[in-house]
Amino acid sequence: MSYELLIALRQIRARKFQTLLSVGAIALAVMILTISHSIMVGVTEEFYNTSVDKIPHVSVSPEEGEDYIYLYDTLIERISSIEGIAAVSPFLTGQASLKFKDNSLNSEIRGIIPSQENEIGSIEEDMVEGSFQELEFSRNTVVIGSKLAEKLEVNLGDFINVSFPNANPLSLRVVGIFHTGSSLDESLTYTSLHTAQQFYDASNVVNGISVRLSDFNRDREIANEIKKLGYNAEGWTETYSAILRTLALESTTDNIIYGLVVVIASFGVVSTLNLSVISATSQIGMLRAMGAPVSSIQKIFIFQSGILGLLGALIGTFAGILIALTIGQYEIQPDSSDVYGSISFIPVAVHLMDTLFIIFAVFLLNLITGVYPARHAAKVDPIKAITSK
């Protein structure tokens, strides 16, 4: 161990009160940063798990000027041959008026092939009553969202009348109710592709194809590949670009604010070290008179700043992780407005690399801020320092 480091450690131990204040200020700032970052990462991951995992990663629509995709089986084969495609599901969707007894509501009715559609959004996991797969084995049946079922006052086995201008009215039996915790629960209804084609009088056509990818980050790349086939295609990052921008902006803003808090705390260390320089003037003079070079004096104060920053970062990170994990245990009570969707706990995510980065960044920042008091100490004239004593 170098003598500069030994002197730095002795200075820190000798000034316990100042050390406590400096470490406490940095620890508090780092703790706030760690908690905020953990919650932000948790919310973002929850968004990906509950939203991106439930939506098509790429949506294919008809060619320019067309209402439908013809010969869609051939197109599905061509899309499926593209590397990175995990599942493909054709659908025919449109608006319809649903009526049960005296209650009527408008809804999107989507005709799908249940086994293929389930590979896109895992709808079976969201079923609260009945069976999604029954659409595949029965005719004139429907699966509706929980809020829509509640407003129509329908239950399993009830028949609802479906109509729309220029469509063929049908009576569909409810075979399932799903709940996603999103707006889809009151706006979306599933039926079989054959039933939808019969209802819209559009046989053997679809107006969209949903695509799921092995890696959802490749959505724009795959969408561009599909566009080369002559069809419109849009990745989920384009469809939900507003939400992604909001998340990115919020994350950046939070990190800037809490980063500034850490900077302010680090300048508290500078202040403490400056006081240390003034009070240790005679000792600095003695060291210089004994032949200690200027670089050694600078090292002593930079070491002090780095050690204080490292201690504060370690304590703050540890406290922040404990508090963040405690917050993550807090259960969100079910709300009638369903504003939290399917989230039952405050989402918190702590990642080792993020934690190490915060500790390293705070340590580095304190080394940098320690340069000024170190240079100030190095400028002390040894003769004046000794004679002033």
Side-chain angles (χ1 to χ4, degrees), residues 188-256:
L188 184 60
T189 303
Y190 290 104
T191 188
S192 69
L193 181 59
H194 176 77
T195 302
Q197 289 173 339
Q198 180 186 354
F199 176 67
Y200 290 112
D201 196 19
S203 60
N204 210 27
V205 295
V206 297
N207 54 9
I209 294 175
S210 300
V211 178
R212 186 177 182 81
L213 308 179
S214 304
D215 178 5
F216 59 70
N217 293 311
R218 294 182 61 201
D219 63 306
R220 298 201 180 204
E221 174 192 342
I222 299 293
N224 288 332
E225 287 290 318
I226 295 174
K227 284 178 183 176
K228 293 177 183 175
L229 302 177
Y231 293 86
N232 293 318
E234 196 171 53
W236 70 271
T237 53
E238 297 172 90
T239 310
Y240 293 87
S241 58
I243 297 176
L244 290 175
R245 276 199 301 272
T246 302
L247 280 174
L249 183 62
E250 192 171 348
S251 175
T252 304
T253 305
D254 282 355
N255 285 333
I256 289 174

Side-chain angles (χ1 to χ4, degrees), residues 50-51 54-56 107-108 110 117 121 123 126 143-149 178-190 240 338:
T50 58
S51 300
K54 296 287 183 184
I55 61 174
S107 166
E108 177 187 349
R110 179 174 297 186
E117 185 69 14
I123 304 165
D126 298 322
V143 170
I144 67 175
S146 56
K147 287 194 172 181
L148 192 58
F178 65 88
H179 179 79
T180 63
S182 69
S183 59
L184 295 178
D185 295 340
E186 56 183 334
S187 63
L188 184 60
T189 303
Y190 290 104
Y240 293 87
D338 216 4

Side-chain angles (χ1 to χ4, degrees), residues 118-167:
N118 191 55
E119 292 181 7
I120 300 294
S122 304
I123 304 165
E124 281 185 333
E125 295 176 2
D126 298 322
M127 296 298 293
V128 291
E129 289 186 71
S131 168
F132 183 69
Q133 290 298 335
E134 191 171 339
L135 291 175
E136 192 150 5
F137 308 112
S138 58
R139 297 176 64 86
N140 293 346
T141 51
V142 69
V143 170
I144 67 175
S146 56
K147 287 194 172 181
L148 192 58
E150 186 180 334
K151 289 181 179 178
L152 287 173
E153 299 178 354
V154 299
N155 296 301
L156 286 183
D158 288 339
F159 283 84
I160 57 177
N161 295 318
V162 185
S163 62
F164 207 67
N166 302 320

Side-chain angles (χ1 to χ4, degrees), residues 371-388:
V371 170
Y372 175 74
R375 295 182 66 178
H376 182 60
K379 290 179 181 175
V380 172
D381 187 321
I383 297 175
K384 286 185 179 178
I386 294 172
T387 52
S388 66

Side-chain angles (χ1 to χ4, degrees), residues 44-155:
T44 304
E45 288 185 354
E46 186 67 25
F47 167 75
Y48 284 111
N49 291 334
T50 58
S51 300
V52 179
D53 204 43
K54 296 287 183 184
I55 61 174
H57 297 157
V58 176
S59 299
V60 183
S61 52
E63 297 174 274
E64 200 70 34
E66 296 284 353
D67 293 327
Y68 299 109
I69 298 174
Y70 302 92
L71 301 175
Y72 59 89
D73 287 332
T74 304
L75 178 59
I76 287 174
E77 285 182 15
R78 297 177 68 183
I79 292 175
S80 300
S81 66
I82 298 174
E83 186 183 353
I85 303 290
V88 181
S89 175
F91 63 83
L92 179 63
T93 189
Q95 290 297 307
S97 178
L98 310 183
K99 184 174 183 181
F100 179 70
K101 296 181 179 177
D102 294 330
N103 301 320
S104 62
L105 285 169
N106 287 334
S107 166
E108 177 187 349
I109 187 163
R110 179 174 297 186
I112 43 84
I113 300 173
S115 57
Q116 295 184 27
E117 185 69 14
N118 191 55
E119 292 181 7
I120 300 294
S122 304
I123 304 165
E124 281 185 333
E125 295 176 2
D126 298 322
M127 296 298 293
V128 291
E129 289 186 71
S131 168
F132 183 69
Q133 290 298 335
E134 191 171 339
L135 291 175
E136 192 150 5
F137 308 112
S138 58
R139 297 176 64 86
N140 293 346
T141 51
V142 69
V143 170
I144 67 175
S146 56
K147 287 194 172 181
L148 192 58
E150 186 180 334
K151 289 181 179 178
L152 287 173
E153 299 178 354
V154 299
N155 296 301

